[in-house]
Amino acid sequence: MAQTLQGPAIFLAQFAGDQAPFNSWPAITAWAAQLGYRGVQVPTWDARLFDLDRAAESQTWCDEFAGIARENGVAITELSSHLQGQLVAVHPAYDEAFDAFAPAALRGRPAERQRWAVDQLRKVARASRHLGLNASISFSGALAWPYLYPWPQRPAGLVDEAFDELARRWRPILDAYDEVGVDVAFELHPGEDLHDGVTFDRLLERVDHHPRLAIAYDPSHFVLQQLDYLQFIDLYHDRIKVFHVKDAEFRPDGRQGVYGGFQSWQERAGRFRSLGDGQVDFKAVFSMLAQHDFKGWAVLEWECCLKHPQQGAAEGAPFIRDHIIQVTEKAFDDFAGSQADPAQLRRMLGLN
């Protein structure tokens, strides 16, 4: 029996903090292992856990970093560059909001901030290779997002120009990842120009189906969009390289729907939930990923508007472990089979 999908693992971004055990790499990896996780996904912007500059330049530093995790019982699944990827493409309407993602010295200087983000992503590529990883996870950034709803009517060519520019910015980054053999898996997420299959295809075509352009699959975002998250796996399984296990629910009523009425997370029709508390059919999701031979990690991304993160983390490891399918190496009806006989096959087909 072969276990194709690996796990459980946990994304550390939502848990890192200034208090132990969340403020250092040795402590947080020990905490994750104690809860039953076998892997951790690392936010590269959090200096409490990770030194991107050293990781990009030093194989020795990466070996020691991975060794600490291994001694504590966990592997590194992927490096995350969500915040840096966001800054590759920022519409001016969001300049001030996203300035917080960059060093203080770059705030109010969008062109320099963008160059810094590109350099950061190149460092993530090198660090991933030093750590022996095949994929990383990021955001695409967004230029067209303010024009998502076509009112006022969009001028002809506006969306095409936005994706042309997105491709111009990302193509050299993708090439840098190709040089070191690492995929860039975009989390298809609201607020990003890449937020569903159609938008992913727009970029994919513009970068000539680049081999390093990949998807980080997260069904929770598709629930909130009312997109068929199971058919998505059928359509894009060859590009899915990273898997976030996150739950969500969508409960519209006579007053609100997908747009949520500018309400807080607790009051929205669509909201993120801890694993098992939402509407995602994870049995079907894990089955379909197993069917398509997904070999990556099942990584908990905890986001819930109700449940405490510690409870969500504690419940997440057994939830994922119980959903991982041990992929069979034999057919269930092998007991009734017989040895192949070419002559018999022809007789059964009436060919002799």
Side-chain angles (χ1 to χ4, degrees):
M1 305 289 283
Q3 179 174 302
T4 301
L5 192 151
Q6 303 177 79
I10 186 170
F11 186 26
L12 298 177
Q14 284 88 0
F15 298 94
D18 292 329
Q19 302 299 320
F22 308 111
N23 58 350
S24 74
W25 179 243
I28 202 168
T29 50
W31 166 80
Q34 187 178 27
L35 290 179
Y37 292 100
R38 297 177 53 241
V40 291
Q41 189 176 86
V42 184
T44 60
W45 61 85
D46 197 319
R48 291 168 298 196
L49 307 182
F50 191 71
D51 187 330
L52 180 56
D53 289 336
R54 296 184 69 184
E57 299 303 324
S58 173
Q59 181 66 61
T60 299
W61 188 91
C62 287
D63 290 343
E64 293 173 353
F65 181 78
I68 292 171
R70 188 167 51 251
E71 290 173 4
N72 283 334
V74 294
I76 300 166
T77 65
E78 297 93 12
L79 299 182
S80 158
S81 60
H82 285 83
L83 302 194
Q84 300 99 315
Q86 181 77 66
L87 298 182
V88 170
V90 177
H91 188 281
Y94 296 101
D95 266 339
E96 287 197 42
F98 285 140
D99 254 350
F101 290 2
L106 299 179
R107 294 172 188 174
R109 300 156 70 180
E112 294 179 44
R113 185 187 63 195
Q114 197 264 347
R115 288 193 291 271
W116 172 83
V118 172
D119 181 64
Q120 287 275 294
L121 286 158
R122 291 176 179 272
K123 289 177 179 177
V124 172
R126 297 197 299 272
S128 294
R129 178 43 52 213
H130 287 158
L131 290 166
L133 306 175
N134 297 320
S136 65
I137 179 172
S138 195
F139 279 153
S140 68
L143 300 172
W145 181 257
Y147 307 105
L148 178 67
Y149 193 82
W151 181 258
Q153 189 179 60
R154 292 188 292 253
L158 179 70
V159 173
D160 286 337
E161 180 60 31
F163 277 87
D164 288 346
E165 178 62 25
L166 200 67
R168 282 191 287 269
R169 296 186 186 193
W170 275 103
R171 181 62 185 257
I173 300 172
L174 292 168
D175 289 343
Y177 276 72
D178 197 31
E179 291 174 4
V180 295
V182 178
D183 295 323
V184 181
F186 286 127
E187 184 173 354
L188 306 183
H189 189 287
E192 313 302 317
D193 279 348
L194 269 60
H195 54 270
D196 58 12
V198 173
T199 51
F200 180 81
D201 290 340
R202 285 182 185 272
L203 183 61
L204 185 64
E205 292 166 3
R206 284 167 169 80
V207 295
D208 302 315
H209 292 256
H210 200 289
R212 294 302 169 186
L213 181 57
I215 293 170
Y217 176 75
D218 182 339
S220 69
H221 297 299
F222 297 155
V223 168
L224 302 194
Q225 293 183 59
Q226 292 296 279
L227 184 154
D228 188 333
Y229 56 84
L230 296 177
Q231 187 184 44
F232 184 93
I233 299 174
D234 268 337
L235 293 171
Y236 293 100
H237 58 86
D238 59 333
R239 291 278 173 175
I240 295 173
K241 304 298 181 180
V242 178
F243 174 28
H244 267 180
V245 191
K246 190 169 75 181
D247 213 341
E249 62 186 357
F250 182 65
R251 301 182 183 279
D253 56 31
R255 298 180 64 243
Q256 62 163 317
V258 170
Y259 302 117
F262 294 110
Q263 303 217 78
S264 68
W265 275 112
Q266 287 195 8
E267 303 302 322
R268 293 175 66 89
R271 56 189 193 173
F272 298 123
R273 300 298 309 277
S274 283
L275 293 185
D277 295 342
Q279 296 170 340
V280 175
D281 184 350
F282 281 108
K283 286 187 177 180
V285 167
F286 276 80
S287 294
M288 194 160 288
L289 289 171
Q291 178 179 331
H292 288 297
D293 199 30
F294 175 71
K295 291 184 172 62
W297 286 81
V299 182
L300 167 71
E301 182 182 22
W302 177 86
E303 290 181 356
C304 184
C305 60
L306 297 177
K307 186 171 287 185
H308 192 280
Q310 295 300 325
Q311 183 180 358
E315 294 173 350
F319 184 94
I320 293 173
R321 184 177 60 248
D322 291 346
H323 279 81
I324 290 177
I325 292 173
Q326 300 284 337
V327 179
T328 182
E329 296 175 345
K330 59 182 292 185
F332 64 86
D333 55 357
D334 278 353
F335 73 93
S338 59
Q339 294 293 323
D341 178 352
Q344 179 191 28
L345 300 181
R346 295 186 63 80
R347 289 196 303 272
M348 292 178 70
L349 294 171
L351 299 177
N352 288 341

